[in-house]
Amino acid sequence: MSCSIFILIFEPFEIENQTGEWYVDLIIFSLGIIFFLSILLIEFLVPKVIPKLFENWNFGKAILWYAWVILFVGAVMFTYKSYLGGFRDFTWMEYFSVLGRILIIGITVSFFTLGVISYLNRQRFSLISSNENYKIKAPNSKSIRLNLNNVMYIVSDDNYVDIHLNADGKREKIVFRSSLKNIESQIVTSLTPIYRCHRRHLINIKFFEIKKNTSRNVKIQLINYDDEIPVSKQYADLIVSLLQVRP
């Protein structure tokens, strides 16, 4: 929808109604609809059909995935455009031209849309991948799988970590032989809600609220529970800002 409105208003790449007929505007508007539907198809259908492809998501996988998304959406838009034009320009050159247009329009609209959403609700970006199952590995230990949406916090205990979970309102604790740094390297990314708040603690910010906030001391508390977690000075500004903007 955003792309349709963007194309109609700004008329990029000479995509404009030169006839003045209302149905031409409708055809131009349909380009944005097809663009949206093709992204909806690949972003929601593929993860459900091939969920293992999205496990242990990282930057490299994201680059490959969105390169594929651009190629797929480009193919759909190229086919639709060629159909409207009677397949007169059904060539590789035109396909790459469509890819370039999609990339520029998509990036422009996406940055604007994401900027608005981020301004209104920055916190939700960290929850994008919270429902993914992460396979956690450690030397001399059997790997485990964690759904980050269920992880409340993780605390280091010498050579082990205590992983506190909340699944469907039921608390559970897993003791896993690993360093906290090893766990952090596998689950803390810009897309997850897990943050380090202390040398011994990782937290899921959606489960916490600010208990005490002074210039000398910051403490957070597990919502609906008595668990209190200290916040080191070096992490205090970030953790407080994240909890303050949470809806």
Side-chain angles (χ1 to χ4, degrees), residues 89-233:
D89 294 320
F90 200 69
T91 64
W92 281 109
M93 185 64 70
E94 183 62 20
Y95 171 62
F96 288 120
S97 175
V98 170
L99 278 181
R101 296 175 186 180
I102 286 174
L103 192 58
I104 293 173
I105 294 174
I107 289 175
T108 302
V109 173
S110 296
F111 269 96
F112 174 77
T113 304
L114 291 176
V116 171
I117 295 174
S118 179
Y119 176 78
L120 295 176
N121 191 359
R122 289 173 293 168
Q123 173 57 29
R124 297 207 174 181
F125 283 104
S126 67
L127 303 180
I128 291 176
S129 62
S130 61
N131 282 317
E132 294 181 13
N133 288 314
Y134 283 70
K135 187 176 182 180
I136 309 301
K137 301 177 181 179
N140 304 317
S141 295
K142 185 178 179 180
S143 62
I144 60 173
R145 289 188 176 274
L146 291 178
N147 185 318
L148 299 190
N149 207 38
N150 297 334
V151 175
M152 296 189 295
Y153 66 93
I154 303 173
V155 56
S156 174
D157 186 9
D158 292 329
N159 296 323
Y160 293 83
V161 292
D162 296 335
I163 304 172
H164 294 258
L165 306 171
N166 187 327
D168 300 322
K170 183 179 179 180
R171 291 196 62 168
E172 180 183 352
K173 184 176 78 171
I174 296 176
V175 178
F176 185 60
R177 185 179 178 85
S178 171
S179 67
L180 190 65
K181 186 175 182 179
N182 174 59
I183 301 290
E184 181 181 21
S185 68
Q186 297 181 67
I187 65 174
V188 176
T189 73
S190 59
L191 294 178
T192 64
I194 309 297
Y195 290 83
R196 181 183 281 272
C197 69
H198 186 267
R199 63 183 179 82
R200 295 185 58 234
H201 294 85
L202 297 176
I203 63 164
N204 184 333
I205 55 173
K206 79 170 191 174
F207 285 103
F208 284 86
E209 60 187 359
I210 299 173
K211 174 71 178 295
K212 181 179 181 181
N213 182 17
T214 67
S215 59
R216 300 182 61 183
N217 191 10
V218 175
K219 281 189 177 181
I220 56 178
Q221 182 173 344
L222 202 59
I223 297 174
N224 298 326
Y225 295 100
D226 295 329
D227 307 49
E228 291 186 10
I229 304 293
V231 179
S232 298
K233 183 173 292 187

